[in-house]
Amino acid sequence: MTSQSQGIQQLLQAEKRAKDKLEEAKKNSSHILLPVDPDPPKGESAFLEAEVGNSGLVVMAMGKGKRLKQAKEEATAEIDHYRLHREKDFRHKQSNVMGSQGNLTAKIDEGTIAKIRDITNRYHKNMESVMGHLLDKVYDINPEFHPNYAYTTDTSY
């Protein structure tokens, strides 16, 4: 029972680490700061300059998104790996327990068959003598009055 609770605790810890990694990746991707120019240029050239500067930020944000996705995949892989490991251990322990129960069942079946064989042999050996004794009791007829029977000679009916 304690190994199950330890396994659950370890699984919860792995999930928490994965969650922390995801939150850290999200936090890193949410801190994209746009540069603030105190004297922004005006016109179409200013728009093109801002577009070029922002394209670098967009690429950086896309990279952070990829890192976030990669962190999520790593966390999921780690959780799956741990879960498979625990399931493998469980199946191994279960097979050990069930294997010993299988041996116990086989021993019980062998004992039961031996007892049935012994009872059958005794039945065949003693059947004739028991039937003879029973028939002797049935055929032994001694007509007697019961001791509680009161003989009356009253013929008044």
Side-chain angles (χ1 to χ4, degrees):
M1 188 58 125
T2 58
S3 65
Q4 289 178 349
S5 62
Q6 288 175 351
I8 291 170
Q9 289 296 325
Q10 290 175 349
L11 182 61
L12 290 173
Q13 288 173 356
E15 287 178 352
K16 184 179 178 192
R17 284 193 304 262
K19 189 177 181 182
D20 290 343
K21 283 182 181 180
L22 286 173
E23 287 178 9
E24 182 181 326
K26 284 181 183 177
K27 190 168 96 174
N28 288 341
S29 66
S30 67
H31 291 301
I32 299 173
L33 297 176
L34 296 175
V36 178
D37 193 4
D39 295 322
K42 308 232 185 307
E44 190 175 317
S45 64
F47 177 74
L48 289 175
E49 288 176 17
E51 187 69 30
V52 171
N54 287 339
S55 66
L57 291 176
V58 169
V59 169
M60 193 182 334
M62 288 175 58
K64 292 201 183 234
K66 287 181 182 178
R67 285 194 303 233
L68 177 65
K69 187 173 182 180
Q70 183 182 6
K72 182 177 179 181
E73 289 172 357
E74 288 175 2
T76 304
E78 184 179 342
I79 290 169
D80 290 342
H81 175 72
Y82 181 74
R83 186 174 286 138
L84 289 174
H85 177 70
R86 294 301 293 175
E87 286 177 0
K88 181 180 175 185
D89 287 347
F90 173 74
R91 279 187 253 115
H92 178 69
K93 288 178 182 178
Q94 186 179 25
S95 67
N96 286 343
V97 170
M98 293 305 287
S100 65
Q101 286 181 350
N103 294 340
L104 183 62
T105 304
K107 289 179 183 178
I108 290 172
D109 288 344
E110 289 174 9
T112 303
I113 291 170
K115 285 181 182 180
I116 290 172
R117 200 176 306 128
D118 183 45
I119 291 171
T120 304
N121 289 338
R122 283 193 270 156
Y123 165 77
H124 289 299
K125 179 181 173 185
N126 296 324
M127 182 181 72
E128 291 295 325
S129 64
V130 170
M131 290 301 285
H133 183 67
L134 183 62
L135 288 175
D136 286 343
K137 291 286 186 185
V138 169
Y139 293 142
D140 185 23
I141 301 173
N142 291 329
E144 298 175 349
F145 288 113
H146 194 273
N148 292 341
Y149 177 73
Y151 181 75
T152 57
T153 58
D154 185 22
T155 59
S156 61
Y157 341 39

